[in-house]
Amino acid sequence: MRDIAFGQYYPADSVIHKLDSRIKLILVVVYVVGVFLVNSFISYIPVALFLLSTILLSKVSLIKVMKSIKGILFIIMFTSLLNIFFNKVDNVLWSWGFLVITDGGLKIAAKLALRLLLLVAGTSMLTFTTTPMGITDGLESIMKPLKLIKVPVHDIAITMSITLRFIPILIEEIDKIIMAQKARGASFDTGGLVKRIKAYLPVLIPLFVSAFRRADELALAMDARCYNATQNRTKLKELKCKKRDLIALFITTIYLILVITIPMFFPIILDFFSK
Amino acid sequence: MDNIIEINDVSVTYQKDSSVIHAISHLTLNIKRGSFVAILGRNGSGKSTLAKLLNASLLPDSGEIFVDGINTTNEERAFDIRSKVGMVFQNPDNQMVATIIEDDLAFGPENLGIPREEIRKRVDWALKTVGMYEHRMRATQKLSGGQKQRVAIAAVLAMSPEVLILDEATAMLDPRGRSEVMDTARKLNKEKNITVVLITHYMDEAVDVDEIVVLDSGCIATKGSPLEVFEQIDIIKNTGLEFPTATETSLKLRGLGYDIPVVLTDESLVEALCQLK
């Protein structure tokens, strides 16, 4: 089976794992907002520090985090390359025909790559440290006010958790179908781009058919276990805000303040040390 | 005797192209409380349709079904029936909702609105009963087929059912997984007095049940104790089922003129062979 780390739970006994899932969801949103507020390299320092300390506290192995980034490495490289060549700012460093590299372009590309890296690594920390059921319960609890305007909050939440559960199953299925098609002489790595894309059609169709069949069986099984029997659904695991959740919230607030203010204070600090 | 399930003259038909197919036709059957019943039949004999009828997933076109005295057509009590009749299906992956085992077990009781402390007790009890308690925090994905089906059985147990229906629950398992599931079902039947309805096409699984019901094109071909059923050689052959290996051997030996009884298990075959002169 292919090892897909993104969206998978990594069981460990850590403070981050124990945090209330609602708080974790809020923290991730704040973290992402922070990443997008960054506009100079210096502001990446608090972001990176925040992420690094979260990873260390969570006891998730660094290799696992790297693997989650591996999946989007291609996208990062592709977008950075485009940004290097299409941003023509400041001094020209190198040019060949229509291809021009400027130092401004390099800076923009580097910032973008960093931003994507931090974004994916940070958000995958949520799924590493929270079970899909935890995420579901957290989302449901946060979205509770929407129930008043008749939004099926619980159904949305359970759909999400089932999606996460079926990612590895469907990936396994893709591998099986590819092997079956290969055994019948299909080729996936010869020919041009169009031919290769076409070769995946006989993989996608059986995949969809089987996904529908699975959905049908799952619906039957959920019905058999009394899904929607009562409006007053109970929960095995109660969400409780504890002291550590407040501390986490406090630290994250400091993080956001640092991200915003560091570009303003940095010249002052630099000034102070140079005296 | 006290019947947990009563099926009175039930028929189910459906349209396929232009012809009408009788999935179940005029079936009458009672299942005793606390018994272990096997329903045998080849593909298309109507056995899975029968399973769906028993937990009110499917309603009969004619006739009536009572589960613990409740008519399955009574829509208001459909969930009562479903909490009394637990179902385990063929594909273990397609019946689990959560990634973590104990979360999956809690799904049923949570749906019923059972208080938190009670759910905790039930989940722990169910996991211990099927021997999966040490694994409770693990991901369902990492288990073997037999373990997954035992978790699926535990998930049903957490709803404290009266009847456990295994709908081809062993069909996708290897021999070891199959015996794990069968042992668990037998234990539940004997120790917890849960009625078990085993739907299968493996004859070998049906040798030590209380009653066998053989279905063929929606009707009961024959029923009775395993010995009574397996002695009706012609009927079994006509329904396209295969005899247990020991039974098959004893039948062939009888055909060759040896004086040997029809046996069900390997042990009794050995005994019978040793007494041959």
Side-chain angles (χ1 to χ4, degrees):
Chain A
M1 203 191 119
R2 260 183 280 176
D3 200 8
I4 295 277
F6 186 73
Q8 299 307 307
Y9 179 61
Y10 182 94
D13 184 33
S14 80
V15 200
I16 308 284
H17 282 77
K18 280 185 198 139
L19 283 181
D20 188 318
S21 57
R22 288 170 297 184
I23 298 291
K24 271 192 269 189
L25 281 164
I26 295 169
L27 296 195
V28 166
V29 173
V30 173
Y31 170 80
V32 169
V33 168
V35 172
F36 277 103
L37 282 177
V38 167
N39 48 18
S40 64
F41 281 108
I42 190 77
S43 327
Y44 276 120
I45 293 172
V47 179
L49 277 179
F50 185 72
L51 179 66
L52 207 65
S53 46
T54 312
I55 295 173
L56 289 178
L57 273 175
S58 72
K59 297 182 186 164
V60 175
S61 79
L62 270 170
I63 299 164
K64 270 274 172 193
V65 184
M66 295 294 181
K67 270 186 183 157
S68 76
I69 298 167
K70 212 178 92 188
I72 60 141
L73 214 56
F74 174 74
I75 302 173
I76 293 181
M77 291 204 301
F78 188 69
T79 45
S80 327
L81 272 180
L82 283 184
N83 271 286
I84 288 175
F85 290 116
F86 284 96
N87 286 301
K88 286 164 190 155
V89 202
D90 300 340
N91 310 316
V92 175
L93 296 176
W94 179 83
S95 70
W96 184 75
F98 66 96
L99 292 174
V100 181
I101 298 181
T102 59
D103 58 352
L106 275 180
K107 262 186 199 164
I108 292 174
K111 270 185 203 163
L112 195 90
L114 262 176
R115 179 175 288 176
L116 280 173
L117 271 178
L118 291 168
L119 213 58
V120 173
T123 44
S124 56
M125 284 315 292
L126 173 73
T127 49
F128 276 141
T129 61
T130 323
T131 62
M133 234 6 155
I135 298 177
T136 312
D137 290 351
L139 267 182
E140 198 182 342
S141 174
I142 290 175
M143 294 195 296
K144 221 176 225 163
L146 292 177
K147 264 188 188 164
L148 291 175
I149 51 165
K150 299 245 159 105
V151 176
V153 171
H154 177 67
D155 291 324
I156 293 172
I158 202 119
T159 310
M160 245 203 69
S161 113
I162 289 172
T163 309
L164 285 174
R165 194 187 113 52
F166 273 86
I167 289 173
I169 294 179
L170 290 180
I171 287 169
E172 219 174 359
E173 188 119 336
I174 293 175
D175 282 349
K176 268 189 207 157
I177 298 171
I178 287 180
M179 268 196 273
Q181 305 289 37
K182 271 187 182 163
R184 285 189 263 167
S187 159
F188 294 95
D189 28 43
T190 55
L193 190 65
V194 179
K195 204 180 162 195
R196 281 190 200 191
I197 292 172
K198 269 188 184 163
Y200 273 91
L201 210 62
V203 174
L204 286 181
I205 292 169
L207 182 71
F208 271 98
V209 171
S210 124
F212 277 113
R213 194 177 302 130
R214 281 181 193 279
D216 203 35
E217 276 179 35
L218 184 70
L220 199 68
M222 283 170 71
D223 264 344
R225 280 161 75 188
C226 297
Y227 184 59
N228 271 346
T230 163
Q231 287 299 308
N232 309 315
R233 218 169 167 271
T234 44
K235 291 268 178 235
L236 171 64
K237 284 162 189 162
E238 195 181 15
L239 295 176
K240 257 193 202 144
C241 268
K242 293 198 179 130
K243 210 166 139 195
R244 56 168 170 258
D245 296 304
L246 295 178
I247 295 172
L249 215 52
F250 181 68
I251 294 173
T252 315
T253 317
I254 293 177
Y255 147 82
L256 196 63
I257 294 171
L258 274 178
V259 170
I260 298 170
T261 54
I262 250 191
M264 304 176 205
F265 289 126
F266 189 63
I268 303 170
I269 301 168
L270 220 56
D271 234 30
F272 179 77
F273 280 109
S274 60
K275 266 175 196 168
Chain B
M1 264 307 272
D2 183 15
N3 291 324
I4 181 92
I5 290 172
E6 290 179 15
I7 304 170
N8 295 327
D9 196 29
V10 162
S11 297
V12 175
T13 55
Y14 62 93
Q15 286 271 338
K16 196 178 183 184
D17 301 327
S18 57
S19 55
V20 177
I21 290 168
H22 295 269
I24 298 281
S25 65
H26 301 289
L27 188 100
T28 299
L29 178 69
N30 292 330
I31 293 173
K32 289 192 191 90
R33 197 183 290 272
S35 62
F36 196 124
V37 180
I39 294 177
L40 296 173
R42 62 180 150 192
N43 290 339
S45 58
K47 51 191 195 317
S48 280
T49 311
L50 183 61
K52 281 182 199 156
L53 285 168
L54 295 182
N55 82 339
S57 295
L58 185 73
L59 297 178
D61 292 329
S62 70
E64 280 173 324
I65 298 169
F66 293 94
V67 175
D68 206 12
I70 310 168
N71 194 328
T72 59
T73 50
N74 187 345
E75 264 178 54
E76 281 161 29
R77 302 200 62 185
F79 289 116
D80 288 340
I81 291 176
R82 286 180 195 158
S83 64
K84 280 180 198 290
V85 182
M87 282 250 236
V88 177
F89 299 89
Q90 185 174 356
N91 189 334
D93 286 328
N94 295 353
Q95 50 189 314
M96 289 176 180
V97 185
T99 315
I100 303 300
I101 292 173
E102 66 169 17
D103 289 346
D104 187 63
L105 255 76
F107 180 72
E110 282 175 350
N111 285 336
L112 295 172
I114 289 162
R116 176 169 302 122
E117 303 75 42
E118 174 71 14
I119 297 181
R120 184 79 258 171
K121 266 189 224 154
R122 284 191 185 193
V123 167
D124 290 349
W125 171 79
L127 280 170
K128 279 175 190 156
T129 310
V130 302
M132 292 291 292
Y133 186 70
E134 320 78 70
H135 301 286
R136 66 191 181 282
M137 292 305 287
R138 281 179 68 193
T140 49
Q141 195 59 24
K142 303 265 156 79
L143 302 175
S144 73
Q147 287 177 321
K148 280 183 193 170
Q149 283 301 51
R150 271 154 63 202
V151 169
I153 292 176
V156 165
L157 278 186
M159 300 174 73
S160 64
E162 311 246 353
V163 186
L164 173 67
I165 299 181
L166 301 170
D167 186 1
E168 301 257 14
T170 57
M172 288 179 72
L173 304 180
D174 56 8
R176 209 177 116 204
R178 217 177 291 159
S179 68
E180 273 174 39
V181 170
M182 287 306 297
D183 290 345
T184 310
R186 269 185 218 113
K187 185 179 156 199
L188 291 174
N189 179 246
K190 292 219 172 67
E191 291 172 15
K192 315 286 174 197
N193 204 30
I194 291 172
T195 314
V196 178
V197 179
L198 173 75
I199 296 174
T200 181
H201 57 262
Y202 290 113
M203 282 284 201
D204 289 308
E205 286 172 359
V207 293
D208 61 351
V209 301
D210 298 327
E211 191 179 21
I212 290 180
V213 178
V214 180
L215 282 188
D216 191 34
S217 19
C219 303
I220 295 177
T222 179
K223 64 173 185 169
S225 71
L227 259 181
E228 284 165 8
V229 168
F230 290 145
E231 271 177 344
Q232 294 165 304
I233 301 160
D234 295 334
I235 296 176
I236 299 286
K237 288 214 163 129
N238 283 337
T239 54
L241 291 168
E242 273 175 27
F243 287 100
T245 324
T247 315
E248 175 103 55
T249 315
S250 69
L251 286 171
K252 279 189 179 150
L253 286 170
R254 276 163 77 98
L256 292 170
Y258 290 98
D259 179 28
I260 188 173
V262 179
V263 297
L264 299 173
T265 60
D266 294 350
E267 290 77 32
S268 42
L269 179 65
V270 170
E271 208 169 291
L273 285 175
C274 289
Q275 280 168 2
L276 266 184
K277 275 167 196 151

